[in-house]
Amino acid sequence: MKVALVGIGKIARDQHVPALAASGDWELAATVSRAGTVEGVEAYTDFAAMLAARPDIPMVSLCLPPMPRFAYAEAALKAGRHVMLEKPPGATLAEVHALEALAAAQGLTLYATWHSRMAEAVAAAKAWLSDRVVRRAHITWREDVRKWHPGQDWVFEPGGMGVFDPGINALSILTEILPAPVHVTAATLEFPENRDTPIAAQITFSGGVSADFDWRQEGPQTWDIEVETDKGPMALRMGGNRLEIGGVEAGGVNSIMGEYPALYAQMAALVRAGRSDVDLSPMVHVADALTLGKRVVTAPFHF
Ligand code: NAP
């Protein structure tokens, strides 16, 4: 099946293009981007022009930042194309609900992807937790914004979500693996004095769950979820790619490169089955943390 990739920037080049090149399901047939292109692939700068010129492309994969994404997704669905959304699936919950309803009305697939849920050890962690009682869980998600979002001012603009842009990856794993749902009860949000979104957040959930998100970590990066249960501890490290049970390594890989191939395989399965997959539970936690969060002003941030 042919796919058009929209928004040729960091994640398109790092993950989508290699995943599509290796896919047995998909052929990258066109790109749409104002500046970015992919060698050997027909390039458009205007989305409407691509939709009009290429009725043979049934699926559009949107790698734009969340703020502009709704208009593209809506246009694609109205033009009869299946749509795959990067995470977070939109700038607001309501706009993704609207897309879900539109996809259903059009009989098309909408897939709100969560790449971290495809990390190597997530399914094993979920299975291990399924018959255990969670006493406590703590997320530590500390990374360097300059490394992962070099010069991307949109992450600090309204709708960019700040540190919740990576933090939502942790929340996508949490909502997948916990045997019972939790909800945010309190949060502290650290806003650089010159920016509109938080650079760090500490969140408390019901059920003994807490999270520490920070975008100022230089050197080694930390993407850990540590869980204490009635039958001992479990930890997911490396963003869900490595599993530790009782403090002992229990499998996984030291790479994130399996996540996007798994997303594209899942999209192919959804299209073939005529289904959509739109789980907004990670984004509900972000919205609630932003609703309940106490605002603390911190040092200005410059790339
Ligand atoms: P990016 O490089 O800043 O943006 C991707 C491309 O989107 C840009 O190169 C730009 O291409 C286009 N674009 C940007 N703003 C636009 C606008 N207002 N209107 C239309 N097109 C616009 O961002 P990214 O890091 O790839 O992130 C994109 C999405 O992927 C985000 O939702 C992010 O959370 C997710 N993601 C990122 C990473 C990461 O490591 N960075 C990892 C996983 C997921 P043109 O200028 O050529 O049009």
Side-chain angles (χ1 to χ4, degrees):
M1 294 177 278
K2 291 177 178 162
V3 52
L5 198 56
V6 183
I8 307 301
K10 184 163 188 338
I11 199 60
R13 289 183 215 286
D14 286 359
Q15 297 289 347
H16 290 257
V17 172
L20 287 168
S23 171
D25 297 304
W26 299 104
E27 175 202 341
L28 179 54
T31 60
V32 184
S33 215
R34 296 161 307 182
T37 58
V38 174
E39 200 184 333
V41 179
E42 188 176 22
Y44 293 81
T45 53
D46 182 71
F47 191 52
M50 188 282 293
L51 291 172
R54 298 298 305 268
D56 60 312
I57 299 179
M59 196 275 268
V60 168
S61 179
L62 299 178
C63 312
L64 309 155
M67 275 300 274
R69 205 178 301 133
F70 174 80
Y72 284 78
E74 184 185 45
L77 291 168
K78 285 185 172 167
R81 315 304 163 90
H82 306 292
V83 173
M84 192 164 151
L85 302 169
E86 250 299 351
K87 51 60 55 173
T92 69
L93 290 162
E95 67 180 40
V96 190
H97 286 305
L99 293 177
E100 194 177 8
L102 179 58
Q106 295 279 83
L108 294 165
T109 294
L110 179 68
Y111 183 20
T113 67
W114 299 107
H115 67 84
S116 291
R117 282 188 179 172
M118 296 301 193
E120 186 73 15
V122 169
K126 179 176 181 170
W128 192 85
L129 285 172
S130 63
D131 58 356
R132 286 167 169 84
V133 177
V134 173
R135 305 251 193 252
R136 202 191 70 93
H138 185 68
I139 300 170
T140 309
W141 225 252
R142 290 176 157 252
E143 61 173 59
D144 183 353
V145 64
R146 291 187 177 90
K147 178 175 163 84
W148 302 103
H149 293 278
Q152 292 175 7
D153 280 316
W154 64 261
V155 297
F156 287 115
E157 290 165 2
M161 288 189 195
V163 76
F164 289 102
D165 179 88
I168 203 168
N169 296 333
L171 299 174
S172 74
I173 297 176
L174 186 82
T175 47
E176 177 71 11
I177 64 173
L178 283 188
V182 295
H183 59 270
V184 175
T185 57
T188 300
L189 311 172
E190 296 181 49
F191 286 75
E193 67 178 38
N194 61 335
R195 301 288 184 168
D196 291 319
T197 62
I199 196 164
Q202 300 86 46
I203 309 156
T204 306
F205 298 81
S206 58
V209 178
S210 54
D212 170 24
F213 298 159
D214 203 315
W215 240 349
R216 298 166 296 194
Q217 178 150 314
E218 295 172 3
Q221 310 282 283
T222 310
W223 299 291
D224 289 348
I225 301 177
E226 295 166 314
V227 185
E228 286 172 21
T229 76
D230 58 332
K231 293 174 188 151
M234 182 221 76
L236 275 172
R237 306 206 187 276
M238 277 279 301
N241 281 291
R242 295 210 64 88
L243 181 64
E244 217 178 80
I245 292 179
V248 178
E249 283 275 347
V253 294
N254 280 324
S255 166
I256 59 168
M257 294 309 284
E259 297 172 15
Y260 282 78
L263 292 180
Y264 277 101
Q266 176 64 5
M267 182 64 181
L270 288 169
V271 169
R272 289 191 182 110
R275 291 198 301 114
S276 286
D277 180 350
V278 183
D279 175 14
L280 295 181
S281 56
M283 205 162 149
V284 168
H285 289 322
V286 173
D288 286 358
L290 291 170
T291 302
L292 290 175
K294 175 179 167 56
R295 183 187 173 103
V296 174
V297 176
T298 184
F301 176 84
H302 303 281
F303 279 105

PDB file of all heavy atoms in Angstrom, residues 44-74:
ATOM      1  N   TYR A  44       5.988  17.095  -2.649  1.00  0.00           N
ATOM      2  CA  TYR A  44       5.034  18.196  -2.770  1.00  0.00           C
ATOM      3  C   TYR A  44       5.287  19.175  -1.621  1.00  0.00           C
ATOM      4  O   TYR A  44       5.705  18.764  -0.530  1.00  0.00           O
ATOM      5  CB  TYR A  44       3.594  17.690  -2.648  1.00  0.00           C
ATOM      6  CG  TYR A  44       3.161  16.805  -3.797  1.00  0.00           C
ATOM      7  CD1 TYR A  44       3.501  15.455  -3.824  1.00  0.00           C
ATOM      8  CD2 TYR A  44       2.408  17.317  -4.851  1.00  0.00           C
ATOM      9  CE1 TYR A  44       3.111  14.642  -4.878  1.00  0.00           C
ATOM     10  CE2 TYR A  44       2.008  16.515  -5.907  1.00  0.00           C
ATOM     11  CZ  TYR A  44       2.361  15.176  -5.909  1.00  0.00           C
ATOM     12  OH  TYR A  44       1.977  14.374  -6.958  1.00  0.00           O
ATOM     13  N   THR A  45       5.010  20.446  -1.869  1.00  0.00           N
ATOM     14  CA  THR A  45       5.074  21.422  -0.782  1.00  0.00           C
ATOM     15  C   THR A  45       3.678  21.784  -0.287  1.00  0.00           C
ATOM     16  O   THR A  45       3.533  22.393   0.763  1.00  0.00           O
ATOM     17  CB  THR A  45       5.788  22.720  -1.238  1.00  0.00           C
ATOM     18  OG1 THR A  45       5.155  23.177  -2.429  1.00  0.00           O
ATOM     19  CG2 THR A  45       7.267  22.473  -1.497  1.00  0.00           C
ATOM     20  N   ASP A  46       2.656  21.385  -1.060  1.00  0.00           N
ATOM     21  CA  ASP A  46       1.284  21.745  -0.705  1.00  0.00           C
ATOM     22  C   ASP A  46       0.445  20.473  -0.532  1.00  0.00           C
ATOM     23  O   ASP A  46       0.397  19.626  -1.429  1.00  0.00           O
ATOM     24  CB  ASP A  46       0.698  22.628  -1.816  1.00  0.00           C
ATOM     25  CG  ASP A  46      -0.718  23.074  -1.471  1.00  0.00           C
ATOM     26  OD1 ASP A  46      -0.863  23.909  -0.560  1.00  0.00           O
ATOM     27  OD2 ASP A  46      -1.675  22.553  -2.078  1.00  0.00           O
ATOM     28  N   PHE A  47      -0.206  20.357   0.613  1.00  0.00           N
ATOM     29  CA  PHE A  47      -0.938  19.121   0.944  1.00  0.00           C
ATOM     30  C   PHE A  47      -2.132  18.909   0.014  1.00  0.00           C
ATOM     31  O   PHE A  47      -2.352  17.796  -0.486  1.00  0.00           O
ATOM     32  CB  PHE A  47      -1.393  19.194   2.408  1.00  0.00           C
ATOM     33  CG  PHE A  47      -1.921  17.896   2.935  1.00  0.00           C
ATOM     34  CD1 PHE A  47      -1.192  16.721   2.823  1.00  0.00           C
ATOM     35  CD2 PHE A  47      -3.150  17.848   3.572  1.00  0.00           C
ATOM     36  CE1 PHE A  47      -1.677  15.514   3.323  1.00  0.00           C
ATOM     37  CE2 PHE A  47      -3.646  16.647   4.071  1.00  0.00           C
ATOM     38  CZ  PHE A  47      -2.908  15.482   3.944  1.00  0.00           C
ATOM     39  N   ALA A  48      -2.904  19.975  -0.226  1.00  0.00           N
ATOM     40  CA  ALA A  48      -4.083  19.842  -1.101  1.00  0.00           C
ATOM     41  C   ALA A  48      -3.659  19.401  -2.504  1.00  0.00           C
ATOM     42  O   ALA A  48      -4.344  18.594  -3.148  1.00  0.00           O
ATOM     43  CB  ALA A  48      -4.842  21.171  -1.156  1.00  0.00           C
ATOM     44  N   ALA A  49      -2.523  19.908  -2.967  1.00  0.00           N
ATOM     45  CA  ALA A  49      -2.034  19.532  -4.305  1.00  0.00           C
ATOM     46  C   ALA A  49      -1.700  18.043  -4.342  1.00  0.00           C
ATOM     47  O   ALA A  49      -2.015  17.352  -5.318  1.00  0.00           O
ATOM     48  CB  ALA A  49      -0.808  20.371  -4.664  1.00  0.00           C
ATOM     49  N   MET A  50      -1.091  17.533  -3.287  1.00  0.00           N
ATOM     50  CA  MET A  50      -0.769  16.098  -3.250  1.00  0.00           C
ATOM     51  C   MET A  50      -2.047  15.266  -3.241  1.00  0.00           C
ATOM     52  O   MET A  50      -2.172  14.288  -4.002  1.00  0.00           O
ATOM     53  CB  MET A  50       0.069  15.776  -2.010  1.00  0.00           C
ATOM     54  CG  MET A  50       0.627  14.356  -1.958  1.00  0.00           C
ATOM     55  SD  MET A  50      -0.558  13.083  -1.460  1.00  0.00           S
ATOM     56  CE  MET A  50      -0.851  13.545   0.243  1.00  0.00           C
ATOM     57  N   LEU A  51      -3.027  15.678  -2.409  1.00  0.00           N
ATOM     58  CA  LEU A  51      -4.277  14.907  -2.342  1.00  0.00           C
ATOM     59  C   LEU A  51      -4.973  14.881  -3.703  1.00  0.00           C
ATOM     60  O   LEU A  51      -5.511  13.847  -4.111  1.00  0.00           O
ATOM     61  CB  LEU A  51      -5.208  15.510  -1.276  1.00  0.00           C
ATOM     62  CG  LEU A  51      -4.766  15.346   0.184  1.00  0.00           C
ATOM     63  CD1 LEU A  51      -5.686  16.152   1.110  1.00  0.00           C
ATOM     64  CD2 LEU A  51      -4.728  13.877   0.605  1.00  0.00           C
ATOM     65  N   ALA A  52      -4.938  16.017  -4.409  1.00  0.00           N
ATOM     66  CA  ALA A  52      -5.600  16.088  -5.722  1.00  0.00           C
ATOM     67  C   ALA A  52      -4.842  15.275  -6.772  1.00  0.00           C
ATOM     68  O   ALA A  52      -5.452  14.594  -7.596  1.00  0.00           O
ATOM     69  CB  ALA A  52      -5.711  17.548  -6.162  1.00  0.00           C
ATOM     70  N   ALA A  53      -3.506  15.311  -6.709  1.00  0.00           N
ATOM     71  CA  ALA A  53      -2.705  14.679  -7.769  1.00  0.00           C
ATOM     72  C   ALA A  53      -2.520  13.180  -7.569  1.00  0.00           C
ATOM     73  O   ALA A  53      -2.241  12.465  -8.523  1.00  0.00           O
ATOM     74  CB  ALA A  53      -1.326  15.354  -7.840  1.00  0.00           C
ATOM     75  N   ARG A  54      -2.644  12.701  -6.329  1.00  0.00           N
ATOM     76  CA  ARG A  54      -2.307  11.300  -6.045  1.00  0.00           C
ATOM     77  C   ARG A  54      -3.465  10.534  -5.388  1.00  0.00           C
ATOM     78  O   ARG A  54      -3.359  10.085  -4.231  1.00  0.00           O
ATOM     79  CB  ARG A  54      -1.048  11.235  -5.149  1.00  0.00           C
ATOM     80  CG  ARG A  54       0.219  11.822  -5.764  1.00  0.00           C
ATOM     81  CD  ARG A  54       0.678  11.097  -7.028  1.00  0.00           C
ATOM     82  NE  ARG A  54       0.864   9.658  -6.862  1.00  0.00           N
ATOM     83  CZ  ARG A  54       2.036   9.076  -6.533  1.00  0.00           C
ATOM     84  NH1 ARG A  54       3.109   9.811  -6.363  1.00  0.00           N
ATOM     85  NH2 ARG A  54       2.113   7.757  -6.391  1.00  0.00           N
ATOM     86  N   PRO A  55      -4.570  10.358  -6.140  1.00  0.00           N
ATOM     87  CA  PRO A  55      -5.678   9.567  -5.570  1.00  0.00           C
ATOM     88  C   PRO A  55      -5.301   8.109  -5.344  1.00  0.00           C
ATOM     89  O   PRO A  55      -6.025   7.376  -4.665  1.00  0.00           O
ATOM     90  CB  PRO A  55      -6.779   9.700  -6.636  1.00  0.00           C
ATOM     91  CG  PRO A  55      -6.066  10.052  -7.898  1.00  0.00           C
ATOM     92  CD  PRO A  55      -4.868  10.850  -7.498  1.00  0.00           C
ATOM     93  N   ASP A  56      -4.142   7.695  -5.901  1.00  0.00           N
ATOM     94  CA  ASP A  56      -3.687   6.302  -5.739  1.00  0.00           C
ATOM     95  C   ASP A  56      -3.037   6.060  -4.372  1.00  0.00           C
ATOM     96  O   ASP A  56      -2.705   4.921  -4.057  1.00  0.00           O
ATOM     97  CB  ASP A  56      -2.668   5.969  -6.838  1.00  0.00           C
ATOM     98  CG  ASP A  56      -1.445   6.892  -6.788  1.00  0.00           C
ATOM     99  OD1 ASP A  56      -1.635   8.127  -6.695  1.00  0.00           O
ATOM    100  OD2 ASP A  56      -0.312   6.380  -6.803  1.00  0.00           O
ATOM    101  N   ILE A  57      -2.850   7.117  -3.569  1.00  0.00           N
ATOM    102  CA  ILE A  57      -2.217   6.947  -2.243  1.00  0.00           C
ATOM    103  C   ILE A  57      -3.316   6.877  -1.180  1.00  0.00           C
ATOM    104  O   ILE A  57      -3.971   7.880  -0.890  1.00  0.00           O
ATOM    105  CB  ILE A  57      -1.244   8.113  -1.937  1.00  0.00           C
ATOM    106  CG1 ILE A  57      -0.129   8.148  -2.985  1.00  0.00           C
ATOM    107  CG2 ILE A  57      -0.666   7.970  -0.526  1.00  0.00           C
ATOM    108  CD1 ILE A  57       0.876   9.280  -2.796  1.00  0.00           C
ATOM    109  N   PRO A  58      -3.543   5.701  -0.580  1.00  0.00           N
ATOM    110  CA  PRO A  58      -4.685   5.564   0.330  1.00  0.00           C
ATOM    111  C   PRO A  58      -4.407   5.995   1.775  1.00  0.00           C
ATOM    112  O   PRO A  58      -5.337   6.095   2.566  1.00  0.00           O
ATOM    113  CB  PRO A  58      -4.962   4.054   0.300  1.00  0.00           C
ATOM    114  CG  PRO A  58      -3.617   3.434   0.046  1.00  0.00           C
ATOM    115  CD  PRO A  58      -2.870   4.404  -0.829  1.00  0.00           C
ATOM    116  N   MET A  59      -3.136   6.243   2.120  1.00  0.00           N
ATOM    117  CA  MET A  59      -2.822   6.516   3.535  1.00  0.00           C
ATOM    118  C   MET A  59      -1.858   7.687   3.658  1.00  0.00           C
ATOM    119  O   MET A  59      -0.933   7.813   2.867  1.00  0.00           O
ATOM    120  CB  MET A  59      -2.217   5.263   4.182  1.00  0.00           C
ATOM    121  CG  MET A  59      -2.197   5.268   5.700  1.00  0.00           C
ATOM    122  SD  MET A  59      -0.795   6.078   6.481  1.00  0.00           S
ATOM    123  CE  MET A  59       0.322   4.685   6.677  1.00  0.00           C
ATOM    124  N   VAL A  60      -2.112   8.505   4.683  1.00  0.00           N
ATOM    125  CA  VAL A  60      -1.267   9.654   4.953  1.00  0.00           C
ATOM    126  C   VAL A  60      -0.742   9.528   6.379  1.00  0.00           C
ATOM    127  O   VAL A  60      -1.515   9.288   7.310  1.00  0.00           O
ATOM    128  CB  VAL A  60      -2.103  10.953   4.797  1.00  0.00           C
ATOM    129  CG1 VAL A  60      -1.358  12.139   5.340  1.00  0.00           C
ATOM    130  CG2 VAL A  60      -2.491  11.173   3.347  1.00  0.00           C
ATOM    131  N   SER A  61       0.577   9.655   6.544  1.00  0.00           N
ATOM    132  CA  SER A  61       1.187   9.578   7.868  1.00  0.00           C
ATOM    133  C   SER A  61       1.698  10.965   8.228  1.00  0.00           C
ATOM    134  O   SER A  61       2.526  11.539   7.520  1.00  0.00           O
ATOM    135  CB  SER A  61       2.342   8.559   7.830  1.00  0.00           C
ATOM    136  OG  SER A  61       2.970   8.477   9.082  1.00  0.00           O
ATOM    137  N   LEU A  62       1.170  11.514   9.323  1.00  0.00           N
ATOM    138  CA  LEU A  62       1.423  12.916   9.676  1.00  0.00           C
ATOM    139  C   LEU A  62       2.498  13.024  10.757  1.00  0.00           C
ATOM    140  O   LEU A  62       2.279  12.633  11.907  1.00  0.00           O
ATOM    141  CB  LEU A  62       0.132  13.580  10.154  1.00  0.00           C
ATOM    142  CG  LEU A  62      -1.005  13.625   9.128  1.00  0.00           C
ATOM    143  CD1 LEU A  62      -2.251  14.254   9.743  1.00  0.00           C
ATOM    144  CD2 LEU A  62      -0.582  14.390   7.871  1.00  0.00           C
ATOM    145  N   CYS A  63       3.655  13.568  10.385  1.00  0.00           N
ATOM    146  CA  CYS A  63       4.794  13.730  11.322  1.00  0.00           C
ATOM    147  C   CYS A  63       5.017  15.182  11.694  1.00  0.00           C
ATOM    148  O   CYS A  63       6.102  15.548  12.134  1.00  0.00           O
ATOM    149  CB  CYS A  63       6.071  13.211  10.683  1.00  0.00           C
ATOM    150  SG  CYS A  63       5.913  11.630   9.932  1.00  0.00           S
ATOM    151  N   LEU A  64       4.012  16.015  11.488  1.00  0.00           N
ATOM    152  CA  LEU A  64       4.115  17.428  11.853  1.00  0.00           C
ATOM    153  C   LEU A  64       4.045  17.579  13.363  1.00  0.00           C
ATOM    154  O   LEU A  64       3.541  16.693  14.046  1.00  0.00           O
ATOM    155  CB  LEU A  64       2.914  18.194  11.296  1.00  0.00           C
ATOM    156  CG  LEU A  64       2.578  18.043   9.841  1.00  0.00           C
ATOM    157  CD1 LEU A  64       1.109  18.329   9.629  1.00  0.00           C
ATOM    158  CD2 LEU A  64       3.444  18.992   9.056  1.00  0.00           C
ATOM    159  N   PRO A  65       4.464  18.721  13.901  1.00  0.00           N
ATOM    160  CA  PRO A  65       4.168  19.007  15.309  1.00  0.00           C
ATOM    161  C   PRO A  65       2.655  18.999  15.539  1.00  0.00           C
ATOM    162  O   PRO A  65       1.881  19.163  14.588  1.00  0.00           O
ATOM    163  CB  PRO A  65       4.749  20.409  15.513  1.00  0.00           C
ATOM    164  CG  PRO A  65       5.773  20.575  14.431  1.00  0.00           C
ATOM    165  CD  PRO A  65       5.238  19.804  13.252  1.00  0.00           C
ATOM    166  N   PRO A  66       2.206  18.834  16.800  1.00  0.00           N
ATOM    167  CA  PRO A  66       0.772  18.678  17.053  1.00  0.00           C
ATOM    168  C   PRO A  66      -0.090  19.879  16.669  1.00  0.00           C
ATOM    169  O   PRO A  66      -1.224  19.692  16.223  1.00  0.00           O
ATOM    170  CB  PRO A  66       0.695  18.409  18.563  1.00  0.00           C
ATOM    171  CG  PRO A  66       2.049  18.688  19.109  1.00  0.00           C
ATOM    172  CD  PRO A  66       3.026  18.587  17.988  1.00  0.00           C
ATOM    173  N   MET A  67       0.412  21.085  16.798  1.00  0.00           N
ATOM    174  CA  MET A  67      -0.459  22.253  16.537  1.00  0.00           C
ATOM    175  C   MET A  67      -1.034  22.296  15.125  1.00  0.00           C
ATOM    176  O   MET A  67      -2.237  22.479  14.950  1.00  0.00           O
ATOM    177  CB  MET A  67       0.270  23.560  16.865  1.00  0.00           C
ATOM    178  CG  MET A  67       0.192  23.966  18.316  1.00  0.00           C
ATOM    179  SD  MET A  67      -1.504  24.227  18.888  1.00  0.00           S
ATOM    180  CE  MET A  67      -1.735  25.937  18.417  1.00  0.00           C
ATOM    181  N   PRO A  68      -0.212  22.143  14.074  1.00  0.00           N
ATOM    182  CA  PRO A  68      -0.818  22.212  12.731  1.00  0.00           C
ATOM    183  C   PRO A  68      -1.482  20.910  12.291  1.00  0.00           C
ATOM    184  O   PRO A  68      -2.113  20.870  11.228  1.00  0.00           O
ATOM    185  CB  PRO A  68       0.382  22.515  11.819  1.00  0.00           C
ATOM    186  CG  PRO A  68       1.577  22.011  12.536  1.00  0.00           C
ATOM    187  CD  PRO A  68       1.267  22.125  14.004  1.00  0.00           C
ATOM    188  N   ARG A  69      -1.420  19.854  13.085  1.00  0.00           N
ATOM    189  CA  ARG A  69      -1.761  18.527  12.565  1.00  0.00           C
ATOM    190  C   ARG A  69      -3.248  18.340  12.269  1.00  0.00           C
ATOM    191  O   ARG A  69      -3.625  17.652  11.326  1.00  0.00           O
ATOM    192  CB  ARG A  69      -1.272  17.447  13.538  1.00  0.00           C
ATOM    193  CG  ARG A  69      -1.047  16.137  12.793  1.00  0.00           C
ATOM    194  CD  ARG A  69      -0.509  15.024  13.672  1.00  0.00           C
ATOM    195  NE  ARG A  69       0.740  15.313  14.312  1.00  0.00           N
ATOM    196  CZ  ARG A  69       0.981  15.087  15.613  1.00  0.00           C
ATOM    197  NH1 ARG A  69       0.033  14.599  16.382  1.00  0.00           N
ATOM    198  NH2 ARG A  69       2.150  15.356  16.133  1.00  0.00           N
ATOM    199  N   PHE A  70      -4.127  18.958  13.070  1.00  0.00           N
ATOM    200  CA  PHE A  70      -5.571  18.723  12.911  1.00  0.00           C
ATOM    201  C   PHE A  70      -6.050  19.056  11.498  1.00  0.00           C
ATOM    202  O   PHE A  70      -6.776  18.275  10.879  1.00  0.00           O
ATOM    203  CB  PHE A  70      -6.377  19.537  13.937  1.00  0.00           C
ATOM    204  CG  PHE A  70      -7.859  19.431  13.719  1.00  0.00           C
ATOM    205  CD1 PHE A  70      -8.560  18.325  14.165  1.00  0.00           C
ATOM    206  CD2 PHE A  70      -8.552  20.425  13.034  1.00  0.00           C
ATOM    207  CE1 PHE A  70      -9.927  18.208  13.942  1.00  0.00           C
ATOM    208  CE2 PHE A  70      -9.918  20.314  12.802  1.00  0.00           C
ATOM    209  CZ  PHE A  70     -10.604  19.204  13.262  1.00  0.00           C
ATOM    210  N   ALA A  71      -5.651  20.206  10.987  1.00  0.00           N
ATOM    211  CA  ALA A  71      -6.143  20.637   9.668  1.00  0.00           C
ATOM    212  C   ALA A  71      -5.721  19.631   8.592  1.00  0.00           C
ATOM    213  O   ALA A  71      -6.496  19.337   7.667  1.00  0.00           O
ATOM    214  CB  ALA A  71      -5.611  22.032   9.342  1.00  0.00           C
ATOM    215  N   TYR A  72      -4.514  19.099   8.716  1.00  0.00           N
ATOM    216  CA  TYR A  72      -4.024  18.105   7.745  1.00  0.00           C
ATOM    217  C   TYR A  72      -4.820  16.805   7.879  1.00  0.00           C
ATOM    218  O   TYR A  72      -5.209  16.195   6.879  1.00  0.00           O
ATOM    219  CB  TYR A  72      -2.533  17.827   7.972  1.00  0.00           C
ATOM    220  CG  TYR A  72      -1.626  18.926   7.469  1.00  0.00           C
ATOM    221  CD1 TYR A  72      -1.452  20.105   8.184  1.00  0.00           C
ATOM    222  CD2 TYR A  72      -0.925  18.767   6.286  1.00  0.00           C
ATOM    223  CE1 TYR A  72      -0.616  21.111   7.735  1.00  0.00           C
ATOM    224  CE2 TYR A  72      -0.079  19.766   5.816  1.00  0.00           C
ATOM    225  CZ  TYR A  72       0.076  20.939   6.553  1.00  0.00           C
ATOM    226  OH  TYR A  72       0.909  21.928   6.093  1.00  0.00           O
ATOM    227  N   ALA A  73      -5.036  16.368   9.116  1.00  0.00           N
ATOM    228  CA  ALA A  73      -5.762  15.105   9.325  1.00  0.00           C
ATOM    229  C   ALA A  73      -7.193  15.222   8.823  1.00  0.00           C
ATOM    230  O   ALA A  73      -7.718  14.314   8.171  1.00  0.00           O
ATOM    231  CB  ALA A  73      -5.740  14.748  10.816  1.00  0.00           C
ATOM    232  N   GLU A  74      -7.817  16.343   9.121  1.00  0.00           N
ATOM    233  CA  GLU A  74      -9.206  16.554   8.674  1.00  0.00           C
ATOM    234  C   GLU A  74      -9.286  16.549   7.143  1.00  0.00           C
ATOM    235  O   GLU A  74     -10.156  15.885   6.553  1.00  0.00           O
ATOM    236  CB  GLU A  74      -9.722  17.889   9.231  1.00  0.00           C
ATOM    237  CG  GLU A  74     -11.169  18.144   8.896  1.00  0.00           C
ATOM    238  CD  GLU A  74     -11.631  19.512   9.358  1.00  0.00           C
ATOM    239  OE1 GLU A  74     -10.889  20.510   9.142  1.00  0.00           O
ATOM    240  OE2 GLU A  74     -12.724  19.606   9.923  1.00  0.00           O
TER     241      GLU A  74
END
